[in-house]
Amino acid sequence: MRIVVADTAASAARLAADLVEDFITAEPRPALGLATGETMEAVFAELVRRHRARGLSFAGVRAYLLDEYLDLDRQDPCAYRNVVHRLLARHVDLGAGAIHGPDPHAIDLDAECNRYERELRAAPIGLQLLGIGSNGHIAFNEPGSPLDSTTRVVALSEQTRAENARFFPAGQAVPTRAITQGIATIRAANQLVMVACGKHKADSVARALEGPVTSEAPASAIQLHPNVTVVLRASAAVGLSESLRAGAP
Ligand code: GLP
C-alpha cells in the first residue's frame, strides 16, 4: 500500500487526479470507477480543469458508479448519476452513454444488482476511486458488511444519512436505502485509489490502514488488495502510527 500525505485538500485532489490521468491516458478504453462525495468533488474539479487547460481527454473512458441512492426521482440532482454528470461528465468529453451504474428504478432490484455485478466483472474496473465515511464505510458498505459482499441493496446508517444530509436541500429526507458495489466487487478492481481529507476522517483512516481487517471497518478491506494508493490530507493522517506516516513521502 502506498500512502501519500498532502498539505491541502487541493494538493490531495491533484495527486488523485495525477493517478486518474496516468490511467486514462495509458489505455484506449479505460474502465474508471467513480466515487462521489465532497472529497471527490475536488478531484472532479481538477480533472475538469485539466481537460480545459490542456485537453485531457475522456473520450475512450467507460465510467462506473460505485453506488446509487434508492427512492429518489430520476431527475433528482442528488442521485449520484446526476452528480457525476453535473460535476464531471458534462464539462468533459465523456458522453452520457459512457456512465454506467445500477438502475435504482428497476422493478426487480435484486436482479438489477446481479446485472450490474456481472457488468462490472466483465468490464473489469482498472482504477477505482474511493472515499471513506467517518464510520469507515466504503461506497455504501456500512459497518457489518461482509468482506465477500457483492452489489446489493443496503440500508444506510443514521450516521451516514446525517453526514450526507448536507448534499440535500433543507426539508428533503436523505434516502434510507441504496444500491452499492460490495466489498468483493471493489476488491476486484485492478487498482484502488482512496482519498480522505479532514480530522473527522482520521479515526476511520487509521482503522482502515492499520486496524484489523474486519467487516466492522469495511474500508480495512483495502489492506487485502495488492495495488492501493491512499491519498490523505495531513489532517486525515493524524491517527496513523509514526512508522506508517514515515513511509509516506
Ligand atoms: C458517500 C459515498 C461514499 C463516500 C463518502 C465520503 O457516503 N457513498 O462513496 O466515500 O460519501 O464522502 P465525503 O467525501 O463527502 O466525506
Side-chain angles (χ1 to χ4, degrees):
M1 184 185 299
R2 289 169 297 280
I3 301 169
V4 189
V5 179
D7 284 341
T8 64
S11 55
R14 281 194 295 274
L15 287 163
D18 287 346
L19 296 169
V20 172
E21 177 169 353
D22 288 350
F23 170 64
I24 66 174
T25 51
E27 290 190 26
R29 293 282 293 142
L32 174 65
L34 296 176
T36 46
E38 189 175 337
T39 317
M40 288 303 138
E41 288 183 8
V43 179
F44 292 169
E46 175 61 18
L47 291 170
V48 170
R49 194 194 63 74
R50 291 177 189 202
H51 172 76
R52 288 180 178 152
R54 48 185 168 77
L56 174 64
S57 177
F58 293 77
V61 172
R62 294 165 293 150
Y64 292 86
L65 302 183
L66 195 51
D67 45 16
E68 183 58 277
Y69 286 116
L70 287 172
D71 310 315
L72 294 179
D73 288 344
R74 224 175 258 287
Q75 309 305 329
D76 193 309
C78 294
Y80 282 160
R81 180 181 287 272
N82 297 335
V83 170
V84 165
H85 180 72
R86 185 173 66 253
L87 299 179
L88 179 66
R90 75 179 173 133
H91 304 289
V92 300
D93 50 346
L94 187 63
I99 301 175
H100 305 260
D103 178 3
H105 301 282
I107 305 288
D108 183 340
L109 289 174
D110 289 339
E112 175 58 11
C113 290
N114 292 337
R115 183 204 64 74
Y116 192 50
E117 179 75 21
R118 283 195 303 276
E119 186 180 3
L120 291 163
R121 297 299 177 124
I125 303 298
L127 185 152
Q128 177 66 58
L129 286 168
L130 294 170
I132 182 172
S134 62
N135 67 353
H137 74 236
I138 41 171
F140 273 136
N141 292 284
E142 299 279 27
S145 297
L147 298 178
D148 61 357
S149 52
T150 55
T151 303
R152 66 204 188 286
V153 173
V154 291
L156 300 179
S157 70
E158 284 311 311
Q159 185 174 339
T160 295
R161 293 183 65 230
E163 277 176 16
N164 288 1
R166 69 192 193 282
F167 297 107
F168 287 79
Q172 182 177 352
V174 180
T176 57
R177 307 187 299 160
I179 292 177
T180 186
Q181 288 189 32
I183 295 175
T185 323
I186 293 167
R187 284 175 54 199
N190 187 47
Q191 181 185 0
L192 304 180
V193 176
M194 176 178 279
V195 189
C197 298
K199 218 170 127 190
H200 62 300
K201 299 286 178 76
D203 184 52
S204 60
V205 165
R207 290 179 71 201
L209 274 53
E210 294 191 277
V213 176
T214 162
S215 62
E216 290 313 310
S220 65
I222 67 170
Q223 294 178 38
L224 304 172
H225 197 284
N227 187 355
V228 184
T229 304
V230 183
V231 180
L232 301 172
R233 185 177 179 185
S235 49
V238 294
L240 296 181
S241 65
E242 273 308 312
S243 56
L244 215 59
R245 283 165 62 85

